[in-house]
Amino acid sequence: MGALDDAEPLTAAERDEAITDLADVEVFRSLLEPQGVLGLVLDCPECGEQHFFDWELLRGNLKQMIEKGQPQVHEPAFHPDPADYVSWDYARGYVDGVIDTEERR
């Protein structure tokens, strides 16, 4: 049995956060994918390195967390071009900028 088999189920707050994150990823993708962004780069708290995740992998991980309480086993992108990925904060700022621009019209 691996570490994922021993994972604690998500609390209600963690599940709500995962649902919010999934909605955010969908919005990020809808606005950033047409700009050539392939996904997000996330800092890994376990190894301290950056991991690059394409949109489908992020979506799948969040859906599995919501449904089963743990992420799926996966491998981040192999030899990604960092220019094709953005951070969560960048994506959030981009979306906020688009919303602000639309509200001013």
Side-chain angles (χ1 to χ4, degrees):
M1 292 179 105
L4 289 179
D5 296 328
D6 301 330
E8 293 287 321
L10 294 181
T11 64
E14 289 169 333
R15 187 172 186 280
D16 288 346
E17 183 177 346
I19 291 169
T20 300
D21 287 350
L22 178 59
D24 286 345
V25 165
E26 297 290 356
V27 173
F28 296 166
R29 182 180 189 175
S30 71
L31 293 175
L32 291 165
E33 191 173 48
Q35 307 303 318
V37 176
L38 301 181
L40 297 179
V41 58
L42 304 172
D43 293 322
C44 179
E46 293 176 20
C47 72
E49 294 184 18
Q50 292 185 322
H51 293 280
F52 298 83
F53 295 93
D54 68 32
W55 299 118
E56 277 306 310
L57 184 56
L58 280 166
R59 188 173 177 275
N61 280 349
L62 288 166
K63 286 184 87 165
Q64 182 149 344
M65 282 188 67
I66 293 163
E67 294 166 6
K68 299 192 188 294
Q70 61 190 28
Q72 62 192 21
V73 176
H74 64 274
E75 288 294 323
F78 185 71
H79 292 315
D81 181 347
D84 292 334
Y85 296 81
V86 298
S87 69
W88 191 279
D89 289 340
Y90 178 95
R92 167 63 51 218
Y94 188 89
V95 168
D96 290 345
V98 168
I99 292 169
D100 288 348
T101 300
E102 289 299 317
E103 287 177 350
R104 289 188 182 137
R105 290 185 179 188

XYZ file of all heavy atoms in Angstrom:
834
model
N 0.848 -1.184 0.000
C 0.000 0.000 0.000
C 0.887 1.238 0.000
O 1.795 1.356 0.800
C -0.905 0.028 1.216
C -1.955 -1.045 1.216
S -2.957 -0.938 2.695
C -4.409 -0.232 2.002
N 0.571 2.177 -0.886
C 1.349 3.399 -0.977
C 0.803 4.492 -0.101
O -0.207 4.326 0.587
N 1.452 5.630 -0.153
C 1.051 6.775 0.668
C -0.360 7.227 0.314
O -1.112 7.658 1.180
C 2.036 7.922 0.490
N -0.733 7.118 -0.971
C -2.072 7.556 -1.360
C -3.149 6.672 -0.750
O -4.257 7.118 -0.488
C -2.212 7.576 -2.884
C -1.442 8.665 -3.606
C -1.649 8.546 -5.104
C -1.837 10.044 -3.134
N -2.834 5.380 -0.526
C -3.814 4.487 0.076
C -4.112 4.879 1.520
O -5.165 4.572 2.044
C -3.300 3.046 0.048
C -3.133 2.525 -1.380
O -3.912 2.940 -2.254
O -2.214 1.707 -1.604
N -3.146 5.549 2.161
C -3.294 5.941 3.554
C -3.831 7.358 3.717
O -3.909 7.861 4.824
C -1.933 5.855 4.267
C -1.353 4.446 4.204
O -2.136 3.479 4.169
O -0.111 4.328 4.180
N -4.178 8.006 2.624
C -4.606 9.400 2.665
C -5.910 9.541 3.453
O -6.797 8.702 3.364
C -4.788 9.953 1.258
N -5.964 10.616 4.213
C -7.183 10.940 4.953
C -8.221 11.480 3.965
O -7.867 12.166 3.009
C -6.883 12.023 5.988
C -5.970 11.568 7.105
C -6.667 10.629 8.069
O -7.839 10.847 8.385
O -6.023 9.645 8.480
N -9.504 11.199 4.193
C -10.515 11.788 3.321
C -10.507 13.318 3.447
O -10.087 13.856 4.471
C -11.832 11.208 3.836
C -11.518 10.444 5.064
C -10.039 10.377 5.232
N -10.957 13.985 2.403
C -11.007 15.446 2.436
C -12.037 15.915 3.451
O -13.096 15.317 3.594
C -11.402 15.995 1.065
C -10.449 15.796 -0.099
C -11.032 16.441 -1.356
C -9.083 16.356 0.187
N -11.719 17.011 4.123
C -12.717 17.651 4.975
C -13.685 18.393 4.061
O -13.404 18.591 2.866
C -12.056 18.654 5.936
O -11.473 19.709 5.161
C -10.998 17.988 6.804
N -14.785 18.851 4.595
C -15.742 19.613 3.799
C -15.086 20.875 3.232
O -15.302 21.235 2.076
C -16.967 19.968 4.636
N -14.244 21.530 4.038
C -13.566 22.747 3.587
C -12.574 22.438 2.460
O -12.475 23.188 1.488
C -12.851 23.421 4.755
N -11.835 21.325 2.589
C -10.890 20.940 1.539
C -11.624 20.587 0.247
O -11.173 20.927 -0.847
C -10.042 19.751 1.994
C -9.035 20.093 3.067
C -8.397 18.872 3.698
O -9.020 17.780 3.725
O -7.262 19.012 4.195
N -12.753 19.917 0.379
C -13.555 19.563 -0.803
C -14.074 20.833 -1.468
O -14.005 20.978 -2.690
C -14.711 18.642 -0.410
C -15.467 18.110 -1.609
C -16.491 17.049 -1.176
N -17.097 16.442 -2.323
C -18.081 16.998 -3.026
N -18.568 18.171 -2.686
N -18.584 16.385 -4.082
N -14.575 21.770 -0.682
C -15.056 23.049 -1.234
C -13.927 23.794 -1.936
O -14.126 24.388 -2.996
C -15.659 23.927 -0.136
C -17.003 23.413 0.369
O -17.605 22.532 -0.290
O -17.448 23.881 1.431
N -12.732 23.754 -1.352
C -11.576 24.418 -1.955
C -11.216 23.762 -3.295
O -10.912 24.444 -4.272
C -10.380 24.365 -1.006
C -9.168 25.102 -1.538
C -8.001 25.109 -0.573
O -8.174 24.781 0.616
O -6.895 25.449 -1.023
N -11.279 22.432 -3.349
C -10.992 21.716 -4.592
C -12.028 22.057 -5.669
O -11.685 22.211 -6.843
C -10.932 20.211 -4.350
N -13.290 22.191 -5.283
C -14.347 22.564 -6.229
C -14.084 23.976 -6.766
O -14.196 24.229 -7.966
C -15.743 22.444 -5.575
C -16.080 20.969 -5.336
C -16.814 23.133 -6.421
C -17.298 20.732 -4.462
N -13.701 24.892 -5.884
C -13.361 26.257 -6.298
C -12.146 26.249 -7.218
O -12.130 26.934 -8.249
C -13.096 27.145 -5.063
O -14.278 27.179 -4.268
C -12.699 28.555 -5.454
N -11.129 25.457 -6.857
C -9.928 25.368 -7.694
C -10.268 24.824 -9.080
O -9.747 25.313 -10.090
C -8.877 24.473 -7.037
C -8.190 25.118 -5.844
O -8.383 26.333 -5.611
O -7.459 24.400 -5.133
N -11.145 23.828 -9.154
C -11.549 23.269 -10.445
C -12.235 24.331 -11.295
O -11.941 24.474 -12.490
C -12.461 22.055 -10.245
C -12.993 21.400 -11.518
C -11.856 20.909 -12.412
C -13.932 20.252 -11.164
N -13.124 25.104 -10.683
C -13.792 26.190 -11.413
C -12.771 27.212 -11.897
O -12.845 27.693 -13.035
C -14.851 26.846 -10.531
N -11.789 27.539 -11.040
C -10.733 28.480 -11.435
C -9.941 27.943 -12.620
O -9.668 28.673 -13.579
C -9.778 28.756 -10.267
C -10.369 29.648 -9.193
O -11.410 30.292 -9.443
O -9.779 29.710 -8.098
N -9.561 26.660 -12.565
C -8.787 26.064 -13.655
C -9.568 26.135 -14.967
O -9.001 26.422 -16.025
C -8.365 24.610 -13.314
C -7.880 23.855 -14.547
C -7.283 24.622 -12.242
N -10.861 25.910 -14.913
C -11.686 25.986 -16.125
C -11.664 27.403 -16.710
O -11.547 27.579 -17.929
C -13.129 25.551 -15.827
C -13.268 24.117 -15.380
C -13.006 23.072 -16.455
O -12.784 23.430 -17.626
O -13.003 21.884 -16.108
N -11.775 28.408 -15.850
C -11.726 29.800 -16.312
C -10.337 30.134 -16.839
O -10.192 30.725 -17.913
C -12.142 30.776 -15.185
C -11.920 32.224 -15.595
C -13.599 30.548 -14.793
N -9.305 29.750 -16.096
C -7.928 30.000 -16.536
C -7.721 29.412 -17.925
O -7.201 30.066 -18.826
C -6.906 29.366 -15.586
C -6.877 29.893 -14.180
C -6.210 29.193 -13.195
C -7.499 31.087 -13.822
C -6.142 29.657 -11.895
C -7.445 31.561 -12.514
C -6.774 30.844 -11.551
N -8.143 28.163 -18.089
C -7.933 27.487 -19.369
C -8.675 28.198 -20.490
O -8.124 28.387 -21.580
C -8.388 26.031 -19.264
C -8.159 25.260 -20.549
C -8.605 23.827 -20.434
N -8.172 23.065 -21.591
C -8.347 21.765 -21.722
N -8.930 21.069 -20.769
N -7.927 21.145 -22.806
N -9.928 28.568 -20.235
C -10.724 29.197 -21.296
C -10.107 30.505 -21.779
O -10.218 30.851 -22.953
C -12.174 29.411 -20.844
O -12.252 30.426 -19.868
N -9.432 31.226 -20.892
C -8.826 32.504 -21.277
C -7.369 32.382 -21.709
O -6.910 33.143 -22.559
C -8.931 33.493 -20.114
C -10.347 33.944 -19.753
C -10.331 34.813 -18.513
C -10.995 34.676 -20.914
N -6.635 31.446 -21.133
C -5.194 31.363 -21.398
C -4.811 30.384 -22.503
O -3.825 30.611 -23.207
C -4.445 31.011 -20.114
C -4.451 32.115 -19.061
C -4.014 31.586 -17.709
C -3.555 33.261 -19.497
N -5.578 29.324 -22.677
C -5.236 28.356 -23.719
C -5.226 29.002 -25.114
O -4.301 28.750 -25.888
C -6.181 27.156 -23.666
C -5.731 25.993 -24.541
C -6.593 24.760 -24.325
O -7.834 24.878 -24.338
O -6.016 23.684 -24.144
N -6.195 29.871 -25.435
C -6.131 30.534 -26.743
C -4.898 31.437 -26.904
O -4.518 31.771 -28.024
C -7.416 31.369 -26.795
C -8.341 30.713 -25.830
C -7.447 30.162 -24.737
N -4.263 31.801 -25.795
C -3.052 32.620 -25.827
C -1.788 31.747 -25.927
O -0.677 32.259 -25.886
C -2.955 33.501 -24.571
C -4.174 34.338 -24.278
C -4.557 35.254 -25.430
O -3.697 35.867 -26.047
N -5.838 35.330 -25.731
N -1.973 30.422 -26.018
C -0.840 29.511 -26.148
C -0.321 28.931 -24.849
O 0.690 28.230 -24.841
N -1.006 29.193 -23.742
C -0.579 28.658 -22.446
C -1.083 27.212 -22.332
O -2.264 26.945 -22.523
C -1.112 29.523 -21.280
C -0.758 28.910 -19.941
C -0.571 30.939 -21.389
N -0.165 26.297 -22.026
C -0.495 24.867 -21.982
C -0.973 24.382 -20.621
O -1.528 23.297 -20.504
C 0.722 24.038 -22.398
C 1.281 24.309 -23.794
C 2.473 23.396 -24.060
C 0.212 24.138 -24.848
N -0.737 25.174 -19.560
C -1.146 24.762 -18.228
C -0.489 25.628 -17.178
O -0.052 26.751 -17.460
N -0.412 25.075 -15.959
C 0.127 25.826 -14.830
C 1.403 25.190 -14.303
O 1.585 23.973 -14.383
C -0.888 25.885 -13.691
C -2.206 26.596 -13.967
C -3.100 26.536 -12.732
C -1.999 28.020 -14.401
N 2.259 26.024 -13.760
C 3.441 25.559 -13.044
C 3.161 25.766 -11.561
O 2.703 26.828 -11.147
C 4.731 26.288 -13.498
C 4.631 27.786 -13.308
C 5.948 25.761 -12.761
N 3.368 24.710 -10.787
C 3.083 24.752 -9.355
C 4.334 24.386 -8.577
O 5.072 23.481 -8.960
C 1.960 23.762 -9.012
C 0.644 23.940 -9.785
C -0.296 22.782 -9.497
C -0.006 25.257 -9.445
N 4.565 25.088 -7.473
C 5.677 24.767 -6.582
C 5.278 23.566 -5.738
O 4.227 23.569 -5.107
C 6.007 25.955 -5.677
C 6.563 27.137 -6.453
O 7.330 26.908 -7.409
O 6.235 28.287 -6.109
N 6.114 22.543 -5.738
C 5.841 21.325 -4.977
C 6.357 21.497 -3.550
O 7.556 21.673 -3.347
C 6.511 20.129 -5.643
S 6.257 18.579 -4.739
N 5.467 21.437 -2.556
C 5.910 21.595 -1.171
C 6.747 20.403 -0.686
O 7.527 20.535 0.248
C 4.610 21.708 -0.389
C 3.568 21.091 -1.249
C 4.024 21.259 -2.662
N 6.610 19.258 -1.333
C 7.339 18.068 -0.901
C 8.787 18.060 -1.369
O 9.684 17.726 -0.611
C 6.620 16.809 -1.375
C 5.278 16.632 -0.683
C 4.501 15.446 -1.211
O 5.109 14.540 -1.818
O 3.284 15.424 -1.018
N 9.020 18.429 -2.648
C 10.392 18.355 -3.174
C 11.016 19.733 -3.398
O 12.207 19.832 -3.671
C 10.439 17.537 -4.461
S 9.721 18.359 -5.901
N 10.198 20.788 -3.296
C 10.718 22.131 -3.459
C 10.958 22.542 -4.908
O 11.471 23.619 -5.166
N 10.593 21.692 -5.862
C 10.788 22.000 -7.277
C 9.473 22.430 -7.911
O 8.402 22.231 -7.348
C 11.341 20.774 -8.018
C 12.740 20.393 -7.571
C 13.302 19.235 -8.373
O 12.779 18.953 -9.473
O 14.251 18.625 -7.890
N 9.588 22.987 -9.095
C 8.391 23.363 -9.839
C 7.946 22.185 -10.697
O 8.767 21.485 -11.283
C 8.673 24.573 -10.725
C 8.919 25.838 -9.942
C 9.067 27.038 -10.851
O 9.657 26.954 -11.920
N 8.530 28.157 -10.424
N 6.625 21.992 -10.759
C 6.043 20.947 -11.595
C 5.106 21.616 -12.592
O 4.354 22.523 -12.241
C 5.278 19.928 -10.755
C 6.151 19.123 -9.852
N 6.882 18.045 -10.293
C 6.427 19.257 -8.537
C 7.561 17.539 -9.279
N 7.303 18.259 -8.198
N 5.164 21.144 -13.825
C 4.369 21.706 -14.912
C 3.221 20.753 -15.218
O 3.441 19.581 -15.489
C 5.254 21.899 -16.148
C 6.370 22.871 -15.904
C 7.542 22.473 -15.289
C 6.230 24.206 -16.260
C 8.576 23.375 -15.041
C 7.255 25.116 -16.018
C 8.414 24.698 -15.411
N 1.983 21.276 -15.168
C 0.789 20.467 -15.377
C -0.039 21.044 -16.511
O -0.386 22.232 -16.483
C -0.079 20.450 -14.105
C 0.587 19.774 -12.942
C 1.318 20.517 -12.022
C 0.493 18.412 -12.771
C 1.933 19.908 -10.946
C 1.116 17.784 -11.693
C 1.830 18.541 -10.775
N -0.390 20.189 -17.476
C -1.265 20.677 -18.539
C -2.694 20.756 -18.003
O -3.007 20.246 -16.923
C -1.138 19.843 -19.815
C -1.668 18.419 -19.678
O -2.621 18.186 -18.910
O -1.133 17.532 -20.361
N -3.538 21.419 -18.762
C -4.909 21.690 -18.298
C -5.674 20.412 -17.965
O -6.358 20.338 -16.944
C -5.671 22.497 -19.348
C -5.064 23.825 -19.634
C -4.557 24.257 -20.831
C -4.880 24.923 -18.727
N -4.067 25.531 -20.712
C -4.250 25.971 -19.443
C -5.166 25.113 -17.381
C -3.930 27.190 -18.844
C -4.844 26.334 -16.791
C -4.239 27.345 -17.522
N -5.571 19.390 -18.820
C -6.329 18.155 -18.586
C -5.860 17.425 -17.332
O -6.666 16.870 -16.600
C -6.255 17.228 -19.804
C -7.249 17.571 -20.882
C -8.690 17.637 -20.386
O -9.169 16.698 -19.716
O -9.352 18.649 -20.684
N -4.558 17.420 -17.091
C -4.039 16.763 -15.896
C -4.505 17.489 -14.633
O -4.944 16.854 -13.666
C -2.513 16.691 -15.944
C -1.832 15.941 -14.809
C -2.354 14.515 -14.672
C -0.332 15.924 -15.034
N -4.465 18.810 -14.656
C -4.960 19.588 -13.512
C -6.434 19.293 -13.264
O -6.854 19.043 -12.129
C -4.796 21.090 -13.779
C -3.425 21.667 -13.570
C -3.348 23.060 -14.188
C -3.093 21.732 -12.098
N -7.209 19.322 -14.338
C -8.651 19.085 -14.246
C -8.924 17.683 -13.691
O -9.742 17.502 -12.794
C -9.266 19.265 -15.630
C -10.744 19.251 -15.670
C -11.210 19.610 -17.107
N -12.627 19.545 -17.190
C -13.311 18.425 -17.435
N -12.686 17.294 -17.622
N -14.626 18.454 -17.497
N -8.212 16.692 -14.235
C -8.397 15.317 -13.784
C -8.025 15.123 -12.319
O -8.731 14.434 -11.575
N -6.921 15.743 -11.904
C -6.506 15.631 -10.501
C -7.543 16.233 -9.569
O -7.878 15.645 -8.531
C -5.162 16.321 -10.281
C -3.985 15.486 -10.723
O -4.132 14.306 -11.005
N -2.833 16.098 -10.790
N -8.039 17.416 -9.912
C -9.023 18.071 -9.048
C -10.330 17.284 -9.006
O -10.923 17.121 -7.934
C -9.256 19.510 -9.501
C -8.089 20.449 -9.202
C -8.225 21.749 -9.974
C -7.985 20.719 -7.702
N -10.778 16.775 -10.152
C -12.012 15.981 -10.177
C -11.859 14.724 -9.323
O -12.772 14.357 -8.586
C -12.392 15.623 -11.608
C -12.958 16.802 -12.372
C -13.417 16.398 -13.735
C -14.835 15.934 -13.572
N -15.575 15.831 -14.809
N -10.709 14.070 -9.415
C -10.503 12.867 -8.618
C -10.443 13.204 -7.131
O -10.952 12.449 -6.300
C -9.243 12.120 -9.048
C -9.082 10.853 -8.245
C -8.407 9.748 -8.987
O -8.292 9.778 -10.197
N -7.955 8.762 -8.254
N -9.821 14.337 -6.792
C -9.794 14.741 -5.378
C -11.204 14.964 -4.861
O -11.540 14.559 -3.744
C -8.959 16.005 -5.199
C -7.470 15.734 -5.225
S -6.506 17.165 -4.780
C -6.950 17.364 -3.075
N -12.037 15.606 -5.670
C -13.416 15.892 -5.261
C -14.198 14.580 -5.103
O -14.922 14.389 -4.131
C -14.100 16.827 -6.282
C -13.430 18.210 -6.235
C -15.594 16.915 -6.027
C -13.731 19.083 -7.443
N -14.031 13.665 -6.058
C -14.809 12.424 -6.064
C -14.267 11.361 -5.110
O -15.034 10.641 -4.482
C -14.854 11.853 -7.486
C -15.629 12.746 -8.439
C -15.421 12.393 -9.909
O -14.765 11.369 -10.213
O -15.917 13.158 -10.757
N -12.933 11.244 -5.015
C -12.341 10.142 -4.250
C -11.516 10.591 -3.054
O -11.025 9.768 -2.299
C -11.470 9.299 -5.173
C -12.258 8.683 -6.308
C -11.446 7.640 -7.007
C -12.047 7.118 -8.232
N -13.056 6.454 -8.525
N -11.307 11.901 -2.911
C -10.582 12.408 -1.758
C -9.078 12.391 -1.890
O -8.379 12.700 -0.931
N -8.554 12.017 -3.055
C -7.106 12.016 -3.257
C -6.797 12.207 -4.737
O -7.590 11.823 -5.582
C -6.480 10.724 -2.742
C -6.990 9.480 -3.427
C -6.533 8.217 -2.722
O -6.311 8.223 -1.525
N -6.414 7.140 -3.449
N -5.650 12.811 -5.037
C -5.301 13.014 -6.438
C -4.895 11.696 -7.089
O -4.511 10.754 -6.412
C -4.111 13.978 -6.379
C -3.499 13.733 -5.046
C -4.638 13.342 -4.135
N -5.002 11.669 -8.409
C -4.547 10.475 -9.122
C -3.029 10.453 -9.179
O -2.387 11.482 -9.051
C -5.137 10.452 -10.529
C -4.710 11.624 -11.402
C -5.526 11.714 -12.673
O -6.623 11.180 -12.754
N -5.000 12.396 -13.659
N -2.466 9.288 -9.326
C -1.025 9.164 -9.494
C -0.720 9.676 -10.895
O -1.399 9.337 -11.861
C -0.582 7.697 -9.332
C 0.903 7.562 -9.597
C -0.932 7.204 -7.944
N 0.297 10.515 -10.989
C 0.581 11.148 -12.278
C 2.046 11.542 -12.360
O 2.744 11.565 -11.364
C -0.281 12.395 -12.438
C 0.062 13.433 -11.411
N -0.506 13.436 -10.165
C 0.959 14.445 -11.423
C 0.023 14.430 -9.462
N 0.914 15.050 -10.195
N 2.438 11.851 -13.539
C 3.755 12.411 -13.786
C 3.551 13.774 -14.420
O 2.799 13.891 -15.386
C 4.557 11.522 -14.742
C 5.032 10.228 -14.119
C 6.050 10.439 -13.018
O 6.894 11.339 -13.129
O 5.998 9.691 -12.029
N 4.198 14.799 -13.889
C 4.115 16.106 -14.533
C 4.759 16.046 -15.926
O 5.411 15.073 -16.277
C 4.914 17.025 -13.602
C 5.050 16.273 -12.321
C 4.948 14.819 -12.653
N 4.570 17.094 -16.692
C 5.118 17.162 -18.045
C 6.621 16.892 -18.049
O 7.340 17.317 -17.159
C 4.833 18.536 -18.639
N 7.081 16.175 -19.061
C 8.486 15.832 -19.199
C 9.165 16.863 -20.088
O 8.729 17.096 -21.209
C 8.609 14.429 -19.811
C 10.021 13.931 -19.896
C 10.712 13.580 -18.746
C 10.655 13.815 -21.113
C 12.015 13.115 -18.815
C 11.953 13.349 -21.198
C 12.632 12.999 -20.042
N 10.216 17.483 -19.595
C 10.964 18.525 -20.313
C 10.043 19.602 -20.893
O 10.085 19.879 -22.088
C 11.819 17.920 -21.423
C 12.945 17.100 -20.912
N 13.773 17.492 -19.886
C 13.384 15.875 -21.303
C 14.674 16.549 -19.670
N 14.459 15.555 -20.485
N 9.204 20.189 -20.054
C 8.311 21.238 -20.572
C 9.095 22.502 -20.904
O 10.172 22.742 -20.344
C 7.363 21.489 -19.402
C 8.212 21.186 -18.202
C 9.088 20.030 -18.616
N 8.552 23.295 -21.782
C 9.102 24.623 -22.033
C 8.421 25.551 -21.027
O 7.212 25.775 -21.116
C 8.806 25.064 -23.463
C 9.391 26.431 -23.788
O 9.820 27.159 -22.858
O 9.419 26.776 -24.974
N 9.164 26.079 -20.048
C 8.549 26.929 -19.031
C 7.768 28.114 -19.614
O 6.836 28.600 -18.982
C 9.737 27.414 -18.201
C 10.774 26.359 -18.376
C 10.594 25.864 -19.798
N 8.114 28.538 -20.801
C 7.394 29.656 -21.427
C 5.951 29.287 -21.773
O 5.128 30.178 -21.997
C 8.134 30.114 -22.681
N 5.635 27.996 -21.794
C 4.282 27.544 -22.143
C 3.364 27.422 -20.927
O 2.198 27.055 -21.072
C 4.345 26.176 -22.837
C 4.992 26.249 -24.208
O 4.949 27.318 -24.841
O 5.546 25.210 -24.637
N 3.890 27.702 -19.736
C 3.131 27.530 -18.494
C 3.186 28.810 -17.677
O 4.146 29.566 -17.756
C 3.712 26.374 -17.667
C 3.592 25.043 -18.372
C 4.513 24.669 -19.344
C 2.552 24.181 -18.090
C 4.403 23.456 -20.019
C 2.436 22.971 -18.750
C 3.356 22.617 -19.712
O 3.240 21.427 -20.369
N 2.146 29.041 -16.886
C 2.115 30.208 -16.004
C 1.790 29.754 -14.584
O 1.257 28.667 -14.379
C 1.083 31.269 -16.479
C 1.448 31.806 -17.857
C -0.336 30.729 -16.460
N 2.105 30.604 -13.621
C 1.793 30.292 -12.224
C 0.309 30.538 -11.952
O -0.384 31.226 -12.706
C 2.632 31.174 -11.293
O 2.202 32.523 -11.376
N -0.153 29.988 -10.845
C -1.541 30.195 -10.417
C -1.790 31.694 -10.235
O -2.815 32.221 -10.672
C -1.792 29.438 -9.114
C -3.242 29.368 -8.737
C -3.977 30.327 -8.115
C -4.124 28.283 -8.992
N -5.259 29.909 -7.954
C -5.385 28.645 -8.479
C -3.972 27.035 -9.592
C -6.486 27.799 -8.551
C -5.069 26.198 -9.658
C -6.308 26.579 -9.142
N -0.839 32.384 -9.592
C -1.002 33.822 -9.349
C -1.081 34.605 -10.653
O -1.872 35.543 -10.771
C 0.135 34.362 -8.480
C 0.045 33.877 -7.039
O -1.055 33.458 -6.605
O 1.076 33.904 -6.347
N -0.257 34.241 -11.633
C -0.309 34.908 -12.937
C -1.678 34.684 -13.571
O -2.300 35.629 -14.078
C 0.793 34.377 -13.869
C 0.739 35.006 -15.239
C 1.523 36.115 -15.538
C -0.111 34.517 -16.224
C 1.465 36.703 -16.792
C -0.177 35.107 -17.471
C 0.610 36.193 -17.754
O 0.534 36.782 -18.992
N -2.144 33.431 -13.557
C -3.441 33.113 -14.155
C -4.555 33.903 -13.474
O -5.434 34.467 -14.134
C -3.711 31.607 -14.065
N -4.522 33.969 -12.138
C -5.536 34.724 -11.383
C -5.488 36.197 -11.786
O -6.503 36.828 -12.022
C -5.288 34.550 -9.877
C -6.043 35.491 -8.967
C -7.558 35.417 -8.980
N -8.034 34.078 -8.814
C -9.106 33.588 -9.465
N -9.786 34.335 -10.295
N -9.505 32.366 -9.274
N -4.285 36.773 -11.858
C -4.136 38.171 -12.253
C -4.628 38.421 -13.669
O -5.248 39.449 -13.947
N -4.365 37.496 -14.564
C -4.820 37.627 -15.946
C -6.345 37.658 -15.994
O -6.940 38.520 -16.651
C -4.273 36.468 -16.784
C -4.534 36.616 -18.259
C -3.632 37.277 -19.079
C -5.691 36.104 -18.844
C -3.859 37.425 -20.436
C -5.935 36.240 -20.196
C -5.022 36.900 -20.988
O -5.265 37.047 -22.335
N -6.968 36.723 -15.286
C -8.433 36.672 -15.249
C -8.990 37.961 -14.640
O -9.943 38.544 -15.176
C -8.922 35.433 -14.461
C -10.416 35.515 -14.170
C -8.582 34.158 -15.224
N -8.401 38.420 -13.548
C -8.862 39.662 -12.925
C -8.739 40.835 -13.897
O -9.625 41.690 -13.954
C -8.076 39.957 -11.642
C -8.411 38.995 -10.507
O -9.434 38.276 -10.597
O -7.637 38.957 -9.531
N -7.649 40.872 -14.671
C -7.462 41.932 -15.657
C -8.514 41.887 -16.745
O -9.038 42.924 -17.166
N -8.849 40.684 -17.204
C -9.895 40.537 -18.230
C -11.235 41.001 -17.678
O -11.981 41.729 -18.337
C -9.970 39.080 -18.741
C -11.219 38.851 -19.577
C -8.711 38.711 -19.518
N -11.540 40.604 -16.455
C -12.812 41.019 -15.823
C -12.861 42.535 -15.672
O -13.868 43.159 -16.010
C -13.011 40.300 -14.467
C -13.243 38.815 -14.701
C -14.153 40.935 -13.686
C -13.195 37.971 -13.442
N -11.792 43.135 -15.183
C -11.745 44.597 -15.021
C -11.951 45.298 -16.349
O -12.681 46.299 -16.445
C -10.415 45.053 -14.399
C -10.310 44.707 -12.926
O -11.339 44.324 -12.308
O -9.191 44.783 -12.382
N -11.303 44.805 -17.400
C -11.418 45.407 -18.732
C -12.863 45.308 -19.228
O -13.394 46.280 -19.769
C -10.459 44.713 -19.719
O -9.126 44.875 -19.239
C -10.586 45.294 -21.105
N -13.477 44.157 -19.039
C -14.862 43.966 -19.496
C -15.827 44.854 -18.725
O -16.771 45.381 -19.294
C -15.276 42.492 -19.358
C -14.592 41.584 -20.348
C -14.902 41.921 -21.801
O -16.069 42.199 -22.113
O -13.950 41.940 -22.612
N -15.580 45.024 -17.424
C -16.484 45.855 -16.603
C -16.392 47.326 -16.984
O -17.346 48.071 -16.787
C -16.152 45.673 -15.112
C -16.604 44.344 -14.583
C -16.213 44.116 -13.130
O -15.431 44.912 -12.570
O -16.692 43.119 -12.566
N -15.266 47.757 -17.534
C -15.089 49.158 -17.916
C -15.719 49.479 -19.266
O -15.818 50.627 -19.635
C -13.602 49.500 -17.943
C -13.026 49.540 -16.556
C -11.613 50.062 -16.556
N -11.107 50.025 -15.199
C -9.911 49.617 -14.866
N -9.056 49.248 -15.783
N -9.543 49.608 -13.611
N -16.116 48.473 -19.998
C -16.704 48.707 -21.324
C -18.145 49.132 -21.234
O -18.905 48.879 -20.452
C -16.604 47.437 -22.181
C -15.187 47.163 -22.564
C -15.135 46.001 -23.480
N -13.727 45.791 -23.855
C -13.331 44.952 -24.750
N -14.190 44.218 -25.386
N -12.057 44.812 -25.037
